[in-house]
Amino acid sequence: NLGYLLPLSEKIKELNEFGFDYMIVIDFSIPMSEMLPEDFYNKYLANSAALVVGSDFRFGYRGMGNVETLKQLHKRVIAIEVVKLNDIKIGSNQVREFLINGEVDQIKNSLLNHYYSIVGKVIHGSKVGRTLGIRTANVELTEEYQLIKKGVYATIVHTSDGKYLGVCNIGNNPTINYVEKMRLEVHILDFNRELYSEEITIDFLERIRDELFFENVDDLIKQIKADIEYVSNKYRGII
């Protein structure tokens, strides 16, 4: 599933922090994909005072244009060198691989210097959590994000009134109320307020374990409480 690592709405928020005056979003289309490099340059890039691109930048039909092509067409081109880790380019493919494998801790430690995050709106769920004595927020993603490996994760949850530790489950709820489509729900530690319709941000710290099937509800409750205790003990100091 090649969903978004950072949806457009979130990219705009991030770029705003750099103080850019303008941001132009070009809709990708079949005719655009078939443009020769020179035509693409003339239509979209020619009027720029300077062009800043990555050293592996490609443009035009089937990526025929590269940085050297651009330098032949434009008077000022600044090419930023690719950043690597263990001879592997730090880019979207590496981030996706970590997410698919559930190695969310590696994203901050090795690649991005910040936690991988997703944004979603809290919606009404099956309300099973409150019957177990462990309330969870059922989160509907605002965009189609890259699929993260099923399992239970330690998280930081950002709400309108602060940030809290959380235990997040991504999966199908195999023990109670199985759902075909993967669901994301999070128990927020030391938090009791209703969050319905509120947009929250979830930072992923660590994948704790696989999503498991339990023979009885008591075993499920026992495991969830153990997960909460683990997150509380390990990450209490970072909030």
Side-chain angles (χ1 to χ4, degrees):
N1 174 26
L2 293 179
Y4 297 109
L5 294 177
L6 190 65
L8 179 61
S9 59
E10 296 304 310
K11 285 180 185 176
I12 293 172
K13 290 178 186 176
E14 295 275 350
L15 290 170
N16 274 337
E17 297 191 7
F18 289 95
F20 291 121
D21 294 321
Y22 303 98
M23 176 176 173
I24 301 171
V25 179
I26 303 172
D27 289 328
F28 185 78
S29 64
I30 297 298
M32 177 193 288
S33 73
E34 296 173 345
M35 293 175 71
L36 293 174
E38 292 81 2
D39 295 331
F40 183 91
Y41 168 80
N42 289 328
K43 183 170 177 113
Y44 295 110
L45 305 177
N47 292 327
S48 303
L51 299 171
V52 181
V53 297
S55 59
D56 60 347
F57 176 69
R58 313 286 295 200
F59 67 107
Y61 181 62
R62 294 186 182 275
M64 290 169 60
N66 55 25
V67 172
E68 291 308 313
T69 312
L70 206 55
K71 286 181 177 179
Q72 293 169 15
L73 296 168
H74 201 75
K75 57 184 179 293
R76 190 176 183 207
V77 176
I78 301 166
I80 307 298
E81 283 302 314
V82 170
V83 179
K84 293 186 176 182
L85 172 71
N86 300 326
D87 289 327
I88 298 174
K89 173 187 170 183
I90 295 179
S92 58
N93 287 341
Q94 186 60 59
V95 175
R96 288 183 196 282
E97 185 174 332
F98 281 141
L99 291 175
I100 290 167
N101 294 326
E103 299 173 287
V104 293
D105 52 319
Q106 292 297 320
I107 293 174
K108 181 178 189 299
N109 295 337
S110 303
L111 299 184
L112 302 182
N113 201 33
H114 62 77
Y115 299 115
Y116 181 73
S117 302
I118 63 171
V119 177
K121 183 179 289 187
V122 178
I123 60 173
H124 290 278
S126 54
K127 298 183 172 58
V128 169
R130 64 181 62 191
T131 66
L132 303 178
I134 304 167
R135 295 180 58 175
T136 60
N138 191 31
V139 182
E140 180 179 58
L141 302 185
T142 54
E143 305 273 1
E144 187 178 347
Y145 280 83
Q146 167 65 43
L147 206 59
I148 305 178
K149 185 175 182 179
K150 286 198 299 185
V152 177
Y153 292 82
T155 63
I156 296 174
V157 183
H158 299 258
T159 72
S160 59
D161 53 4
K163 59 183 181 178
Y164 304 83
L165 289 175
V167 176
C168 176
N169 184 79
I170 298 175
N172 308 99
N173 298 0
T175 304
I176 301 175
N177 194 37
Y178 176 87
V179 288
E180 191 70 34
K181 183 180 178 182
M182 289 225 313
R183 172 183 288 177
L184 187 157
E185 52 187 329
V186 59
H187 169 75
I188 307 174
L189 278 63
D190 305 317
F191 188 88
N192 292 310
R193 184 172 66 79
E194 293 285 4
L195 284 170
Y196 292 124
S197 298
E198 185 171 320
E199 192 172 80
I200 63 175
T201 299
I202 301 173
D203 297 336
F204 287 84
L205 312 182
E206 173 193 355
R207 186 175 186 271
I208 301 171
R209 62 173 175 85
D210 291 336
E211 185 181 46
L212 304 172
F213 171 77
F214 294 91
E215 292 292 341
N216 60 71
V217 173
D218 288 340
D219 288 343
L220 171 62
I221 294 171
K222 184 178 179 180
Q223 181 60 62
I224 295 173
K225 288 183 175 178
D227 297 336
I228 293 169
E229 185 177 2
Y230 172 84
V231 172
S232 179
N233 290 338
K234 184 169 182 178
Y235 293 104
R236 181 66 67 183
I238 70 171
I239 295 294

